[in-house]
Amino acid sequence: MVSKISLKIVTIDMEKNINKNKIWIYVLTVYFICFCFRFLEYFLIRTDSTFFGEAFIHKLLGIIVLFVTAGFLYITPGEMGFLRSKFSKNLLRGFLLGLFCYFLAYTVEIIIVQNLGEFDKLSLFVTSYSVNGNLGNHTEAIFFIICIFGNIINVVMEEGVFRGLFQNLFERRYSFWPSAIFASLLFGLWHCVGPIRSFTDGDSNRMQLIMNLLILIGSSTLIGLKYAMLSKITGSLYAGMADHFVNNTIINILHVVSISEIDQLQTIRISIAQTVSFIIVFIVYYSKTINGCKK
């Protein structure tokens, strides 16, 4: 009897803490807090321009905000997609997806550069990604470790917040696709800070700013949709995290060196990998949806 009463009290508390009419307030409040942290780090602290080469402080703070908010709203880690079941399997799925798509992308890039008579070699060294080209050229082990841990923090925060929390909240009011679109648009806008800083620092002009914003926001929104579908297909965040990790890490450590410059076709490489990846995930999602409807 006591357990039934306790369960009822918890259920009532959950209903009070998650008001469907306040979903946007919850989401935008968390987004604003995380965005402020991101803005401060990019414009004031500039951790990515230091020894670390990664803007990771706002991501760590974002993880704290994520779990504090989830606790306040009585959303469990499992409900957000941090599931123990099939952890290894879903991680492997994401890694294989990312590695396969980038294998194709690097192959195409190398063929193009070879045909131009420019290809020299593939090289391993650590850089920091920038909208105006990669920065740095580090071969020491410590920089590979920082790159790996920085990207782990990045994928936990971004997938946790945008797919785990925002997607979860939106789906309490909307169906999957509107929820995925809303969360992915916020994810796209999340990436506008880099181009804006580049412009204010004088590293790009107004036209370059507009083009960089359009490209980054548009591509990040589509990538967000892919990760939303992955989380729906697998029932967890881990496949998306693994694919996200491969995407962010491989472009920082594996480089196509040509005679005239390094990574001259990096944008094309990323576009190929993400396009192929999106198509694969969409086909799998669509086939599962059709099979689910038939059952």
Side-chain angles (χ1 to χ4, degrees), residues 5-18 74:
I5 293 172
S6 299
L7 181 61
K8 186 174 182 180
I9 291 172
V10 171
T11 303
I12 291 171
D13 285 343
M14 289 174 68
E15 289 174 354
K16 285 181 179 178
N17 276 25
I18 303 182
Y74 292 98

Side-chain angles (χ1 to χ4, degrees), residues 155 239 269:
V155 300
R269 179 203 312 158

